[in-house]
Amino acid sequence: MLFAPFISKPDNVSQIMLRVMLALIPGIALYVWYFGPAILISLTLASVTALATEAAMLKLRDRPVAPFVKDNTALLTAWLLALSIPSLAPWWLVVVGTAFAISVSKHLYGGLGNNPFNPAMIGYAVLIISFPVQMTHWLTPHGLGQVELTFLDQLNFIFSGALPPGVTLDAITMATPLDTLKTQLHLDRPMQDIMGMPIYGRLAGQGSEMVAWGFMLGGAYLLATRIISWHIPVFYLGSIFATAGIFHLIDPAHYATPLFHWFSGAAMIGAFFILTDPVTGPTTPRGKMIFAAGAGFLTYIIRVFGGFPDGMAFATLLMNICVPLIDAYTQPKVFGRKEKKA
Amino acid sequence: MRTLHRFHGGVHPPTNKTQSNGKAIAQVVLPSKLVVPLHQHVGNSAKPSVKVGDHVLKGQIIGAPEGRLSSAVHAPTSGTVAAIDMQVVAHPSGLSDLCITIIPDGKDEWTERKTHDWREMQHAELRHILREAGVVGLGGAVFPSDMKLYSHQHKITTLVLNGAECEPWITCDDRLMRERAADILQGAEIMRGLLYADEVLIGIEDNKPEAIAAMRAAVAAGKHERMEVIAVPTVYPGGGAKQLIRVLTGIEVPHGVRSTDMGVQCFNVGTAYGAWRAVAHGEPLLSRIVTVTGNVGEPQNFEVPFGMPVDELVAQAGLQPGTTGHIMGGPMMGFRLPSAQVGVIKATNCIIAMSDALFPPAPPALPCIRCTRCAEACPADLQPQELYWFSKAKNFGKTQEYHLFDCIECGACSYVCPSHIPLVQYFLFSKSEIHARENEKQAADRARERFEYREYRIEREKQEKAERLAAKERAVKEQTAKQIPPVEAPAQANPENTLQLKIQEAIDHAKEQAAAVKPKNVENLTPEQQAEIAEIEARRERIRELAQSHVEQPKE
């Protein structure tokens, strides 16, 4: 080394990303347990696409390929996107979404560190707007469906769209717990009845609530290893809890409990893995609180009053827009310029 | 029990202190030569007071302080002055500076040493002794100590003695405190006296239990009152003066404000030791404790005379093969020596022999991912990721808005950066660019002011001339108006008369100006030169008289 400091912490971007991916494993394992191994196929597809796109973009942009591909950031984006979309989605959906996320929302903005929007969430937004039908192929959790596909059948469906003879798509897929709730409320069924449907478990959706626990466990690991700070998860979940709590208190028959919202959809993976993306989030502690609280509020509003099944992705992107402003107005006082204590 | 305060951030790099802190301070074998730079302190360079070929004694002044902010430099041993010339010095720039080379005669013969009882002395006299003894801050800043030991009555309440030594590898203060605690405390008493300070707080990081014990024992044995040895948490940069003051007193000294304005003054323990030796033993600052560690066979601390070439010093600790360079200072804030032949100076607290195994090259830098580990580590509560962004974009206005100049360059941000971005280098770059621009702007401002003043002066002179003329004209008119009966139009007063008056006035003015001109550069003339000038003046006067009579004669 030429300049001080001559030493550095044995820590690098690649390792950090790898540990975040490691933290996703409990959630993924529970996903496989409850919904079958199809998710592993989309994870692999997304990973391969992400690495290929990353390498191609770096080549096009005349940047060194090896150090950037090895930084594991593209892989993490791929995993987060694959976990956000239905695992039975056709193969090209995963490929298109991942390629778009890496090429447009990451590299066209300047590559690692320069993208203002979360690439995985951009990928999700593009897919749900462009291919809403394919984005409803959510698998029915284990034990609930009429038919259960084997791994080979799932593989076959993802790549060729062909189902085993006599099996219809409806037999193996279903609306998500959030979507079902919305539809049923529309039909004026009381909350009590809806929650009694077999699709719901103790807190939220059957199976999906367990996956949420898995992500929470991974999040705890990230907090313990100080890869993420507590500000975003606490304020995001707190904001969802508070907003949902207020509505639930006002009209319990129409608005689900705060815990339901915590364990539904992408709230948990969002709180610990998506909103905590350092590149697209604020940098100051106060900024993180504002950012996460805003995202929590928007998630709830979009879920309950909006037109999309889940609000997490759009809430993230909307709050990404505000990051520069939030950062500018939440700068902490520097040493010696703090308010003197009386 | 005293409550300690916290400062934000900090890092815990591996301390690497056990390699060198186990052995007692060793005396070095005198080197073949000593290359003593004349500029070893903040302020003006000392002025050489010996000539090539002179024989000097140990402790004799070889460089006298020049100006208010300066400090003396002494011969570290007896010998012959072999050269006074420009040599590469221990500075990151690698530039040369004036050095005095002494070839030791091996006798190590002292000059006369005067001992003093500081309690009987005037403060001004005491400060003079410290200045003449070349006592400067040994914590690294090398600020002349006499300049820091001013105080109005009881304006300073607390004297902080810095024994934190937070940089990895360095153990010189640790050994000094273990072995010479009593002398350090005596020095602290002198400092307390000069500052009219009430209490003395000695901060030592808790990874030096032996030093803490030794100092505590010395406080008790010396019956020092209102003096306390405080173990502070080991965290880098806890030994920064502002950080240590914060931890011990809770006071945050802002950038641009002196700690003395907040009632605290801070000195390194080595400085206190140096002050005591200078006052009570008449020993000027000739040597210091230097940790020699890293890629050497026997890492340890030496008492090293200033000017000792670094290569001879590391050789005495058993330099190992595979050494790729030498760091002066610690690995966090030190710098690579431009050459191993440079002499040890007052700021040299540690020499680390580098090897690829101990200091592997950093991997190439990746882009910033805004993970804010740097902000979490920053002891000044800065946002290094923002400063980096603006520095890279050369948006220097923004760097200043984000308090770039509060950065203490401790390197904690660079240390933790997972993208291995040399953040401090970016900040140094921005600071130097801002300074350069500021200088340029000031120069341009001065030039503009000069130009504007010149314009103003020309205009003013014109105006004054016009006014004078007008006044004269009025006077003439009034005069003629008095002489000539008012029936005649005063405006048409004799024009010839006015013209003549104007000419006369111009002549008078010229004479006045000539008389006003004083010869320049005559302040420091020898009597012979003055006599010569007087002679010339007399000759000129005679010629003038002759000329006058010649001109005037035909008229008569």
Side-chain angles (χ1 to χ4, degrees):
Chain A
M1 270 184 250
L2 291 172
F3 311 108
F6 295 95
I7 48 176
S8 62
K9 214 172 175 179
D11 200 0
N12 56 50
V13 174
S14 170
Q15 274 173 20
I16 294 172
M17 297 299 156
L18 208 63
R19 279 151 92 185
V20 177
M21 288 163 73
L22 191 72
L24 280 169
I25 291 199
I28 293 172
L30 287 162
Y31 204 120
V32 172
W33 180 260
Y34 283 99
F35 297 93
I39 187 68
L40 298 177
I41 303 165
S42 33
L43 279 172
T44 315
L45 257 179
S47 301
V48 172
T49 313
L51 289 178
T53 317
E54 178 92 355
M57 288 308 289
L58 287 166
K59 200 96 190 154
L60 274 175
R61 292 179 58 221
D62 218 11
R63 298 290 154 99
V65 176
F68 282 99
V69 169
K70 274 189 248 162
D71 69 21
N72 291 332
T73 53
L75 272 183
L76 181 60
T77 300
W79 282 30
L80 292 175
L81 179 60
L83 288 170
S84 311
I85 61 182
S87 53
L88 262 198
W91 66 271
W92 53 265
L93 200 73
V94 181
V95 172
V96 167
T98 315
F100 190 90
I102 301 289
S103 61
V104 177
S105 84
K106 184 176 178 187
H107 281 285
L108 294 194
Y109 280 98
L112 177 64
N114 295 300
N115 48 306
F117 300 108
N118 190 308
M121 292 302 100
I122 288 277
Y124 173 87
V126 165
L127 294 180
I128 198 146
I129 292 168
S130 314
F131 310 101
V133 178
Q134 286 81 358
M135 287 290 279
T136 59
H137 293 179
W138 292 100
L139 271 167
T140 312
H142 177 70
L144 276 189
Q146 303 152 345
V147 188
E148 268 177 41
L149 293 183
T150 63
F151 182 63
L152 276 178
D153 287 339
Q154 290 181 340
L155 203 66
N156 195 24
F157 178 74
I158 290 168
F159 283 98
S160 67
L163 285 167
V167 177
T168 61
L169 196 58
D170 285 343
I172 52 164
T173 65
M174 59 155 203
T176 64
L178 275 170
D179 235 0
T180 311
L181 176 69
K182 207 184 251 179
T183 320
Q184 296 298 325
L185 282 172
H186 222 70
L187 299 171
D188 272 339
R189 273 185 78 175
M191 184 65 74
Q192 198 92 35
D193 286 11
I194 304 173
M195 286 298 145
M197 289 167 74
I199 174 173
Y200 294 104
R202 282 190 197 85
L203 292 166
Q206 192 75 262
S208 61
E209 61 183 15
M210 293 313 292
V211 176
W213 278 112
F215 290 137
M216 208 176 178
L217 188 70
Y221 165 75
L222 293 184
L223 280 173
T225 51
R226 310 193 80 179
I227 288 175
I228 60 170
S229 68
W230 58 270
H231 305 86
I232 286 178
V234 167
F235 271 77
Y236 179 68
L237 294 175
S239 167
I240 289 185
F241 197 93
T243 319
I246 290 165
F247 279 97
H248 181 70
L249 281 180
I250 292 168
D251 188 356
H254 268 92
Y255 298 101
T257 62
L259 282 177
F260 173 84
H261 281 282
W262 267 16
F263 288 92
S264 293
M268 280 301 164
I269 194 172
F272 294 101
F273 294 90
I274 292 168
L275 284 161
T276 50
D277 170 27
V279 175
T280 57
T283 54
T284 62
R286 271 196 303 149
K288 284 176 183 171
M289 297 177 198
I290 296 169
F291 172 81
F297 177 74
L298 286 173
T299 301
Y300 183 84
I301 297 296
I302 296 169
R303 271 181 183 182
V304 176
F305 304 103
F308 288 98
D310 195 357
M312 164 60 211
F314 290 101
T316 306
L317 296 175
L318 286 172
M319 289 314 291
N320 283 164
I321 301 174
C322 310
V323 164
L325 191 74
I326 294 173
D327 271 347
Y329 284 96
T330 55
Q331 288 300 314
K333 289 257 193 303
V334 305
F335 185 89
R337 291 179 207 270
K338 287 172 201 159
E339 239 74 24
K340 262 185 221 147
K341 271 175 250 162
Chain B
M1 192 61 203
R2 178 174 290 274
T3 47
L4 293 182
H5 302 262
R6 271 187 54 85
F7 62 90
H8 177 265
V11 292
H12 296 94
T15 57
N16 282 308
K17 291 191 187 251
T18 48
Q19 289 93 321
S20 57
N21 70 1
K23 273 191 188 165
I25 297 168
Q27 297 295 322
V28 289
V29 179
L30 269 184
S32 57
K33 64 169 182 181
L34 295 161
V35 186
V36 187
L38 284 159
H39 195 211
Q40 297 191 47
H41 45 263
V42 173
N44 293 331
S45 190
K47 205 170 134 189
S49 54
V50 287
K51 293 191 302 294
V52 176
D54 282 2
H55 184 262
V56 290
L57 292 175
K58 183 176 184 176
Q60 181 185 331
I61 289 192
I62 54 172
E66 175 101 317
R68 221 165 100 82
L69 185 61
S70 187
S71 192
V73 174
H74 305 77
T77 185
S78 56
T80 316
V81 176
I84 302 176
D85 58 357
M86 300 296 275
Q87 302 232 22
V88 177
V89 292
H91 189 272
S93 68
L95 293 176
S96 300
D97 206 350
L98 198 59
C99 297
I100 296 183
T101 306
I102 295 170
I103 305 294
D105 58 12
K107 291 180 204 151
D108 212 25
E109 196 180 334
W110 272 97
T111 181
E112 188 203 350
R113 275 171 286 180
K114 266 195 208 139
T115 58
H116 304 271
D117 181 1
W118 67 274
R119 287 174 206 274
E120 305 292 309
M121 292 170 77
Q122 295 284 320
H123 284 187
E125 208 183 326
L126 214 42
R127 275 192 288 269
H128 184 72
I129 290 174
L130 293 175
R131 177 177 148 102
E132 292 293 308
V135 177
V136 297
L138 296 184
V142 281
F143 195 88
S145 297
D146 55 300
M147 296 296 291
K148 274 177 78 183
L149 286 165
Y150 278 101
S151 174
H152 301 297
Q153 205 90 36
H154 298 298
K155 234 183 109 183
I156 292 170
T157 53
T158 308
L159 166 66
V160 168
L161 223 50
N162 191 344
E165 199 160 54
C166 61
E167 269 258 18
W169 295 95
I170 308 178
T171 56
C172 60
D173 290 347
D174 184 4
R175 285 309 321 185
L176 187 76
M177 289 188 287
R178 289 196 208 181
E179 297 177 32
R180 304 177 192 177
D183 281 3
I184 295 172
L185 300 185
Q186 295 286 0
E189 289 294 355
I190 297 178
M191 290 171 161
R192 163 149 71 181
L194 281 170
L195 292 169
Y196 300 100
D198 181 37
E199 54 172 358
V200 180
L201 304 180
I202 304 161
I204 305 170
E205 281 195 346
D206 54 18
N207 62 354
K208 291 176 265 296
E210 298 91 344
I212 294 170
M215 292 288 276
R216 280 195 177 141
V219 169
K223 296 197 172 63
H224 294 280
E225 279 172 22
R226 296 186 317 285
M227 188 182 269
E228 195 181 341
V229 176
I230 300 157
V232 298
T234 300
V235 54
Y236 177 85
K242 284 183 180 180
Q243 278 65 40
L244 187 63
I245 289 172
R246 162 81 189 157
V247 170
L248 293 178
T249 67
I251 294 169
E252 281 192 16
V253 183
H255 182 80
V257 175
R258 276 175 302 216
S259 68
T260 49
D261 294 336
M262 322 282 269
V264 189
Q265 184 64 292
C266 181
F267 285 95
N268 179 267
V269 286
T271 317
Y273 174 77
W276 173 248
R277 298 304 299 183
V279 172
H281 298 269
E283 289 173 14
L285 201 63
L286 305 174
S287 61
R288 67 161 296 153
I289 316 299
V290 180
T291 307
V292 183
T293 182
N295 195 32
V296 292
E298 285 185 63
Q300 58 186 304
N301 286 281
F302 290 98
E303 173 121 38
V304 185
F306 299 129
M308 176 157 186
V310 165
D311 50 2
E312 294 196 38
L313 175 61
V314 289
Q316 293 191 19
L319 189 68
Q320 299 289 298
T323 299
T324 53
H326 299 92
I327 300 171
M328 180 173 130
M332 294 297 287
M333 284 185 84
F335 61 91
R336 241 187 138 116
L337 285 173
S339 144
Q341 278 86 50
V342 299
V344 163
I345 55 173
K346 292 178 183 178
T348 313
N349 49 6
C350 179
I351 299 287
I352 308 175
M354 296 175 87
S355 70
D356 283 340
L358 292 174
F359 298 94
L366 282 175
C368 168
I369 56 166
R370 290 159 50 88
C371 67
T372 64
R373 281 155 192 241
C374 50
E376 279 160 33
C378 181
D381 301 78
L382 296 173
Q383 299 284 309
Q385 79 280 0
E386 304 281 2
L387 290 172
Y388 161 68
W389 185 263
F390 296 131
S391 294
K392 215 174 142 191
K394 298 192 181 167
N395 190 346
F396 300 121
K398 274 281 186 191
T399 60
Q400 278 173 288
E401 246 175 71
Y402 280 74
H403 307 291
L404 173 69
F405 284 93
D406 281 281
C407 168
I408 58 168
E409 295 155 27
C410 68
C413 53
S414 302
Y415 174 76
V416 296
C417 180
S419 288
H420 302 289
I421 300 167
L423 291 161
V424 182
Q425 294 306 312
Y426 278 92
F427 306 154
L428 289 172
F429 160 74
S430 281
K431 282 183 179 178
S432 67
E433 282 293 297
I434 292 167
H435 279 308
R437 280 170 199 212
E438 201 60 38
N439 286 345
E440 241 169 67
K441 199 179 148 282
Q442 272 173 7
D445 280 350
R446 272 199 297 277
R448 202 193 63 239
E449 269 167 33
R450 265 204 305 275
F451 174 74
E452 280 173 358
Y453 183 71
R454 183 172 170 272
E455 296 279 287
Y456 162 75
R457 186 177 45 107
I458 291 169
E459 191 56 37
R460 192 191 62 194
E461 278 172 5
K462 255 191 212 163
Q463 221 171 350
E464 280 174 0
K465 211 168 176 182
E467 270 168 23
R468 268 204 309 276
L469 276 178
K472 276 270 159 53
E473 235 165 292
R474 263 202 311 279
V476 169
K477 274 176 202 165
E478 274 169 28
Q479 200 102 49
T480 42
K482 269 182 202 162
Q483 283 169 357
I484 299 158
V487 193
E488 282 185 48
Q492 288 186 347
N494 192 350
E496 241 172 79
N497 206 357
T498 345
L499 190 67
Q500 217 158 20
L501 270 168
K502 272 186 194 169
I503 292 167
Q504 188 56 47
E505 193 209 339
I507 292 168
D508 288 346
H509 185 64
K511 273 186 186 166
E512 243 171 66
Q513 267 187 339
V517 172
K518 276 185 192 150
K520 276 183 183 165
N521 305 328
V522 292
E523 294 89 2
N524 300 320
L525 293 178
T526 58
E528 295 90 51
Q529 282 172 317
Q530 271 170 350
E532 210 175 310
I533 289 167
E535 204 180 301
I536 293 165
E537 286 294 328
R539 212 162 44 228
R540 274 194 191 151
E541 194 58 33
R542 225 175 26 251
I543 291 165
R544 244 179 255 134
E545 268 169 37
L546 278 173
Q548 195 110 25
S549 53
H550 265 290
V551 175
E552 281 166 6
Q553 257 167 7
K555 265 191 184 174
E556 282 172 7

